[in-house]
Every structure is written in structure tokens, then in C-alpha cells.
Amino acid sequence: LDLDLEADLGVDTVKQAEVFAAVRERYGLERDDNLSLREFPTLTHVIGWVRDKTGIQPATAPAQAGPAAAGVTTAAPAEQPAPGVHPTTVAGDLDAVDRLPRRIPVPALRPALEQCVPTDVSLAEARVVVMRDEGGVADALIKRLGKAGATALTLEPGVPTEELVETLTGWRAEGPIAGVYWLAALDDEGPHEELDLAGWREALRRRVTALYTTMRLLYDDSPFLVTGTRLGGYHGYDEAGATSPMGGAVTGFAKTYKRERPEALVKAVDVPASRKTAAPADLLLEETLRDPGCVEVGHADGGRWGVGLVERPFPPQDEPLEGGLQLGSDTVVLVTGAAGSIVAAITADLAAASGGTFHLLDLTPEPDSSDPDLRRYVEDRDGFKKVVAERLKEQGQRPTPVAIDRELARYERLAAALTAVDSVRDAGGTAHYHSVDLTDADAVDGVVERVRQTSGHIDVLLHAAGLEISKALPDKEPKEFGLVFGVKSDGWFNLLHAAADMPIGATVAFSSVAGRFGNAGQTDYSAANDLLCKIASSFRRSRPGTRALALDWTAWGGIGMATRGSIPKVMEMAGVQMLPPEAGVAWIRRELTAHPYGGEVVVAGVLGRMAEGYHPSGGLDTEAFDTAQAGPLVGEVVAADVHSGIVVRTRLDPTEQPFLDDHRIDGTPVLPGVMGMEGFAEVARLLAPDRAVVAVEGVDFRAPVKFYRDEPRALTISAQLRPDGDDLVADCRLEAERTLPGSDVTQHTLHFTGSVRLSPQPAPAEQQDSVRHAADGRVASHDEVYRLYFHGPAYQVVAEGWRADGGAAARFADGLPPNARPEGSPTVIGPRLAELCFQASGLWEAGQAGRLALPAHVDRVSVLDPTEQAPAPVVAVARARDGDGALAFDCTVTDAEGHVLLRLHGYRTVPMPGELPDDVRGPLAEAMGEGAQQ
């Protein structure tokens, strides 16, 4: 209780203010404008303040006090289902959905190959297998392999499986195989609607089933694997969508092979559709020799692109975006895998929200609610287990746990199917149950024809059918691979083929984090899931009228297969958060109704090892960057992480850097928010030095970066660059760690987030009238301004302030000391010009509301000509407006000739507690115009 809240416990000033507000509300205490946080450095001080205000004294708890006496509520025992009633499904909760991150895979700029470390692959005297394509890339590659000293063992496109096995077995008998180049997916499979089931299966056999056969036979040699695909160069994560989407099955397989063989180099190299052969061959060879830090890599528009993740939250529940699905009684939903417990719960959620028509498809026979065995299973599973064991004995079978569980699983699916049917009917909807084998094209045709006759269209096609048999590649039999892969892939094809002439509003494919990241033992599952993801992407090209979603589910908690056995423990050991079932159940409803987005979504909490990189530096050669002229916030380049982007660690010393020494709160140096934005821009340009920074956008100042006791600290800035039209956008984070006194636990804090926009050309010049203050107007002098602000000389950027054009104007001070050391360190965004906007806005807020506020958010800083050497006077004018219910400021900085140097839009603040003293506020209120618009 006596440790310092901030210096010892890490509770920053903003959080302390929030705590005080919560304490006041809890105890009904009025706001004290004279209160200063400096007076309450410990919890003991806070407790004393509450006691002084309320008269509450410490109380002795009753000896027999139960949970309620301590303010803890307890739940009553769960009611058992009434006889003949199956258990209700888990209820969906939209608030639970919003508590989880919503992540979208995006192209992420990788360093150039010459900036990456070599792999451990040596081609000299190596024997490598090459599966040819039909376009000639293999021919060009084989020539290059020969020049590198390798021997190419070539396989012809479409080689029959039996011949493939015989050939590979013979090659292995002659010596180990060092690597495999798999080029089958460089060939375009053509429009899927022109294939029949046999053609679909053969195209996938050539691409992925033959790859499974090859890598299984060569597994003990641990060969490297380099595959080629024609998904478009961005792996289908660009706005145009995937071409030749069958390549997704190859990429999904490759990612899981890497999980099983982490010591082997694995690359899934994606290129645009093209007839060129030399360029793809060069890329395949170069990717073999450099950058062990990623598996998925594409080449397009002059860049190397990995696949990263960005968070894209749902819009507010009461403000869905235009284009989202409207659920109602006329909604028609087709669901596959409807007898799964998870799918039954999702069906119930959608039915409750719509009351529509549901066509429920599953291999499980239609359930009979009057079946006494089904009733017994629902009412007393453990008792029914004994019945099953006795029956097996009577039939002359051994009642092993596997045999008993197999029979119980059949009833579990029947019970789930019954739940799905009843939930639709209970919601006032119509349920049609169809028992069907999705891999049987004729049977699926029959079901879809009944859907066509009954409903005429499909609003949502939910493909959740799937099977999972986790086994390492050598132990995975061909029949198992074909079954797991086929249920998802053939089922999808048969449905789409049968419904080719029916309007389909949206498709939702169940994928998995195994498809996104790969997962040991799941080559078939990962291949099938990533295939569905790439097909969803390809709909942007081939079926733009249908919105296609693919959901990469993590393991569910509380419901479904992942709750059994050791899976929860395995997930815990891997640091992977199980999906709360109430969030998973409602996720699809939220996804469909909240917005019109189509594409892949990762549905997971903490991903743990699942999202770990493949190399300590992410494959980056950290010595390849010359940071001498990069700016004061760029220290050591340490990594090019798959998901975080380029990572820079910088040690800052407040006794050396003016922007820290002259920017103190209560004597403690604090990193200026504008220098955080500057750091984002400096780091973003490292991977795109030929681009111009035109804006910093969506900046949140989450927690101040303080340098306690004037001690140096190391900051980490990361920037992940993704394409956005002709621009690149870098999603940035500024983080720091420190160990609190008396603790051996490292505290990790995310301080700032935001994005940097980089364009091929600088922003076009802008001109407007320069600003002068009226000769007879009241002006706040430099000294009056810095009675308000805590800044030292380098950050005393305001020479004087006054009211102008309905806002606050501030003139940039002449002859400021250097911003950083060494003197003349280059900057990108003109941080002290942005600071001029911050302080001008603060003058208005101080004059009008009588308070000092700290930066909280910036919508956008537009960088035009950010030089401090512009013709004087340089003036910022900040105008207050309503920004989504909160006070926001827009500000423009111009020079004496009317050149616009910088624009700031949507600057918001968080007020410090207490009002300003009269001698501070008075001059500012006079200068800013007391009573003007707030």
C-alpha cells in the first residue's frame, strides 16, 4: 500500500485520474477541483482521502462471513434438463464478441532479399526434386539449379500417384533428397464453374495430394520445400482477390509441413499471373537462399510481401455499417455440418435473430425426438454409457473406451442435430433437415434442388462441415488425408456447383488457425482450410455479387471437440487462449450484420506460439540498414517480424536529449507525443526509403512514456507496412518495458499506436492566407503561456498566443534550442510544428474551460512542408469542434507567405484533474475570449 503508484507500481497518470473518478463515483464524493494527483502517490494516501471525506473507518469482518458478506455473489446449481428435453445450446453474446480482437490478414512488406540473412540451404551437389509446371518456369529453374551445382530430379505434371511413389522410392534408394520445388500450382486451374467433380479432384490431386505423397515419402530426409503459386503476388490478400485459388491448398500444406519440420526451410512463393518464366525461376531460387524468417512470401508491384495481421474492430453495435445483412423471417440459411455441437449453437443464434428458414445438412440421419436411446443419452449420458457397454458385450464386442466413445459420439451428433432443428422451430422459423454425404455430387444435387424448390435462393451458405484427424505426416494414411481434405473441399465444390444458378447473398466457410498458421499433424486440415480461404478471396473476382467470408477459428472452450482430452492443456502450454463459446456462437451473426466486409478473419484471443516467427530476427540482416541519418528515434534495427513488421529498439537518455529534458511533468521527463509520431514516421521509412511520408493517422496516446529518476529507457517501435491503393500504410506501435523496484517481473506497456501513410510522391503544396493578430487584440505572452505549460526551452514553441478566426492562434518561437542531439538530427514530420498545434489547442482549452489537458488522440497529421526554417512568422490556428461527442481540434500551420506547412485534424485531449489557478487561467481567458464556443 505504501509503494509509489507510478514509479513503483506502474500506474500512469491517466490511469490514476480514471481510478480517482471511479473512487468518487463509488463513494458518492463530489469532484474536488483543488485535488492534485501529486498529493496521493500511494494507495495509503488514497484510502486516507476516502476516509477523511466519508468518515468510514476500518471494519472487522464477522467471523462466519460468507461470500455475500465480502460482496461476492454465488450462482445457484445449474438446473438439470427436464425428462425428454435436450440441453439448451450456449447463448451468443455480442459483448463477448467485442471483447476479443478481430484480426484481418493483410499483405505485409518484407525487407528486400539483400537485407535478409542467408538460409542454411546449400545447392552445391544437392539432389532436389522438381515438380514441373506446364508453363515453362520449371525449365528455367532447372537451368539455374544446374549452374548452382544441384541435380534436378524432375516429375512431370499430372504424374499418376502409383508412378510418383515408385519414382520417389527409387530416387531415395540412391541417396538423400535435399529439397523439393513444387510448381504445380503455378498453372491456372481455370474457372471452377467449368469443372465437374472429377476435374476438380484431379486438379487438386496434381497440386496438393501429390505433394502430400511426395513429402510423406521424403519426410525422414527433412528436405526443404519451396512451392510456387499464382494467387496474384499478395497471396490473395489484396483488394483484387486471389487468382488460381487452388494454390491455397499448397500454401496451407506448406505451413503445416514447416510446423512439423521447423529445421527445414519452407517457402510458399506467390507471383502474379504471367507468361514469364525467367523471373519466377529467379525468385524461387533467391527465396531458397535468403530470408528464413517467413513461409508465405509474394512478389508484386516491385515489393516482397508476407502475410501479417491487423486489428479491425467491429463498428459499434448500434451503428452497423451500410451493406450488412438484415436478418428476418424471409432469410434463408443453408448450413452444412449441422449436427456438430458448435454449429448447432450457431444455428440457434442465427435462428433466434431471424426466425427464418434453415436447411440443415449433415451426414448424421435426421434425429427422432421420440427415440428412447436419444432421450436417455440427453438425460443421463453417464448412465447411457453403461447401457452401450452392455450392448457391446451382448454383441460379442469388447466394450473398449474407443468403441463406447464411438457410439456415444453418434448420439452426441444426433442430439446436436435435434438441438439445431428445435432451436429453429422454437424461434418461429422453418427447419428442413437433409441427411447427405457432401462428397456425393448426385446426393448434393438432390438436396440443393429441394432447396431451390422450397426457397428459391440462399442468403447465407454456411459451410461448417469438416473432419479432423491429427497425425504427423509419416503416420497420416492416404485414406485419412483424402477424407479430411475431401469433406471440406469436395463438399464446398458440390454445393457451389449444384447451386450455380441460385442467388447466394453470402458464404461463410469454416476455416481454422491451422489454415492461417499451420499446425503440426494437420497437413490435410490446413490445406483444405487455406483452400477455402483463397476461394473466398477469389470471389472478389469471380463472383462479386456474393459476399464471401472465411473464419479462422481457434480452439473453442466449453463446447466442441477441443474441450476434450489434453487439448485444453496443450493450448495452455502453447499460450493459446481458448475461444469463449458465447463469443464464438455470436461471431457469425456479428460478422454478417455489422458491415459488408468479405474476406478472411482470424477469430481468436491470445495466439501464443501459434503466431510465433520462424527466426530470431525474422530473417532480417540487422546490419543491412544504415541508421545514421534515420532520425533521433531510430536506434538499432532488431527484426522484421512476420506480424509486427520492422522492429527498432532505441535507448533514450533524458540527460542527453532536449526533447526529453525540456518536456517534463512534475519533474519527470516524458516523451512528447509528437516525437512518438515522429518515431513512427522514421521507422516506417526504413523499409520504403523511396516513399514520402504524407500523413500520420489514427494516433492513440494510450500511456505516457516516462523516464523515472532521469534514467535512460529503451523504446521499441514497430511498423508493419501494407498496400492501400497506390500508397503504403504502416501500422505502428511504440512499446516499452521496465522492471519495477522490488520486483523481478517485467512490466510491458503499449504506449502509442497509429499509422503512417507513405505515397510515391510528396503531398502537393497548399496555399492560404497567412494569419496576423489584431493590433488592439489581447495577446498571451510567452511568459503567460509557460505559466500553463511545463516545457523547457526546446519545447517552448509558442512565442505568443491570441484569438483568431474563431480559434486560438500561436506564433512559432524564434531561435529555439535544438530539438535533439546530435544537433541537426533529421526529422520527417516537423514534430515541433505539430507541437505548436498541440499547444495552440491547449491554450484554447485552458482559456475556455480552465484546465490543462494532455494529448489523447489524433485523427490525422498531414505533412506538407514540415520545415522550421520557413519564412517568419509561422503561425498555427487551432479551432475547436465537436468530434463524435468529444471536444476535438483542427489546426493549420502556415508561414509568412501563406505556404501550408502542416495540418492537424481531430486532435483530442484528456484533462488533468483540477482547475487552473486564476493567475494562470486569467491571461489566457482574456486572450482566447472568455465565453466563446467550447
Side-chain angles (χ1 to χ4, degrees), residues 366-701:
E366 183 169 2
D368 179 1
S369 59
S370 64
D371 180 350
D373 282 347
L374 180 55
R375 292 166 60 90
R376 180 73 181 273
Y377 170 85
V378 169
E379 296 165 7
D380 182 11
R381 187 180 187 277
D382 290 338
F384 186 64
K385 187 175 182 179
K386 297 176 182 177
V387 172
V388 170
E390 291 299 323
R391 286 181 183 173
L392 290 173
K393 287 181 183 178
E394 293 171 1
Q395 296 167 4
Q397 302 180 44
R398 293 181 61 199
T400 64
V402 171
I404 294 172
D405 285 346
R406 184 183 300 117
E407 186 69 1
L408 290 177
R410 184 168 69 86
Y411 281 96
E412 180 181 9
R413 294 194 68 83
L414 285 168
L418 185 59
T419 296
V421 171
D422 286 353
S423 65
V424 172
R425 293 171 179 166
D426 291 346
T430 303
H432 301 278
Y433 192 90
H434 310 272
S435 178
V436 62
D437 179 354
L438 290 177
T439 66
D440 184 334
D442 291 339
V444 173
D445 282 345
V447 168
V448 173
E449 179 58 31
R450 292 196 288 277
V451 174
R452 183 182 288 107
Q453 296 299 324
T454 303
S455 302
H457 72 284
I458 300 171
D459 292 297
V460 180
L461 190 161
L462 180 60
H463 184 40
L467 184 67
E468 193 276 322
I469 305 173
S470 289
K471 289 184 180 180
L473 192 52
D475 302 324
K476 193 176 291 287
E477 297 295 331
K479 185 176 181 180
E480 292 172 333
F481 185 95
L483 181 61
V484 172
F485 186 79
V487 169
K488 276 187 173 288
S489 63
D490 290 355
W492 173 265
F493 175 82
N494 286 336
L495 283 168
L496 268 292
H497 193 267
D501 61 341
M502 290 179 66
I504 301 178
T507 62
V508 182
F510 271 36
S511 179
S512 163
V513 289
R516 173 82 301 277
F517 304 110
N519 196 30
Q522 297 184 322
T523 47
D524 39 17
Y525 197 62
S526 178
N529 282 318
D530 213 13
L531 170 65
L532 295 183
C533 289
K534 299 310 187 285
I535 292 175
S537 170
S538 74
F539 270 28
R540 296 199 283 271
R541 293 175 180 268
S542 63
R543 196 164 182 158
T546 297
R547 175 183 169 197
L549 287 161
L551 303 184
D552 296 329
W553 299 107
T554 189
W556 286 53
I559 183 173
M561 294 182 294
T563 61
R564 300 171 189 161
S566 63
I567 292 179
K569 185 63 177 178
V570 170
M571 291 294 174
E572 179 184 348
M573 293 172 61
V576 177
Q577 178 185 355
M578 302 282 279
L579 183 67
E582 63 274 14
V585 166
W587 193 286
I588 289 178
R589 169 163 53 102
R590 188 92 164 92
E591 199 72 59
L592 287 170
T593 60
H595 51 65
Y597 171 80
E600 187 175 344
V601 182
V602 177
V603 186
V606 178
L607 290 166
R609 294 181 192 168
M610 187 71 71
E612 283 184 354
Y614 306 101
H615 186 271
S617 72
L620 182 71
D621 180 358
T622 58
E623 302 297 322
F625 290 88
D626 180 9
T627 62
Q629 298 300 314
L633 270 297
V634 174
E636 177 189 9
V637 181
V638 296
D641 185 78
V642 171
H643 301 299
S644 300
I646 189 166
V647 181
V648 171
R649 189 164 294 124
T650 304
R651 182 181 181 275
L652 294 177
D653 187 338
T655 66
E656 296 176 357
Q657 288 294 357
F659 61 80
L660 295 175
D661 193 29
D662 287 347
H663 192 269
R664 294 172 178 265
I665 300 179
D666 296 332
T668 299
V670 179
L671 180 73
V674 295
M675 289 304 292
M677 296 191 294
E678 169 67 24
F680 287 168
E682 291 175 8
V683 173
R685 290 191 71 242
L686 290 175
L687 282 184
D690 57 334
R691 294 275 181 142
V693 173
V694 297
V696 182
E697 302 171 330
V699 180
D700 283 319
F701 302 104

Side-chain angles (χ1 to χ4, degrees), residues 285-434:
L285 195 63
E286 292 164 1
E287 291 288 352
T288 306
L289 301 177
R290 283 192 173 273
D291 190 6
C294 68
V295 171
E296 296 163 289
V297 62
H299 288 259
D301 299 323
R304 293 180 71 236
W305 304 96
V307 179
L309 297 175
V310 296
E311 291 193 15
R312 291 287 182 270
F314 289 107
Q317 294 181 29
D318 57 349
E319 299 178 19
L321 299 180
E322 185 177 351
L325 179 66
Q326 300 294 315
L327 294 174
S329 59
D330 57 346
T331 300
V332 177
V333 183
L334 185 150
V335 182
T336 72
S341 55
I342 288 173
V343 185
I346 292 171
T347 298
D349 183 78
L350 292 173
S354 67
T357 298
F358 285 74
H359 293 273
L360 307 174
L361 282 62
D362 200 279
L363 187 61
T364 299
E366 183 169 2
D368 179 1
S369 59
S370 64
D371 180 350
D373 282 347
L374 180 55
R375 292 166 60 90
R376 180 73 181 273
Y377 170 85
V378 169
E379 296 165 7
D380 182 11
R381 187 180 187 277
D382 290 338
F384 186 64
K385 187 175 182 179
K386 297 176 182 177
V387 172
V388 170
E390 291 299 323
R391 286 181 183 173
L392 290 173
K393 287 181 183 178
E394 293 171 1
Q395 296 167 4
Q397 302 180 44
R398 293 181 61 199
T400 64
V402 171
I404 294 172
D405 285 346
R406 184 183 300 117
E407 186 69 1
L408 290 177
R410 184 168 69 86
Y411 281 96
E412 180 181 9
R413 294 194 68 83
L414 285 168
L418 185 59
T419 296
V421 171
D422 286 353
S423 65
V424 172
R425 293 171 179 166
D426 291 346
T430 303
H432 301 278
Y433 192 90
H434 310 272

Side-chain angles (χ1 to χ4, degrees), residues 34 778-789 843 846-847 850-851 915-927:
N34 296 318
R778 174 68 169 91
V779 174
S781 69
H782 173 276
D783 290 346
E784 290 170 335
V785 169
Y786 291 100
R787 289 181 202 159
L788 170 71
Y789 292 130
L843 292 177
R851 64 193 180 205
E915 292 190 357
L916 297 174
D918 291 342
D919 64 328
V920 174
R921 182 184 182 184
L924 302 179
E926 293 177 12

Side-chain angles (χ1 to χ4, degrees), residues 149-167:
T151 299
L153 309 173
T154 60
L155 296 169
E156 295 302 315
V159 58
T161 301
E162 296 79 5
E163 183 181 335
L164 174 63
V165 171
E166 182 179 352
T167 300

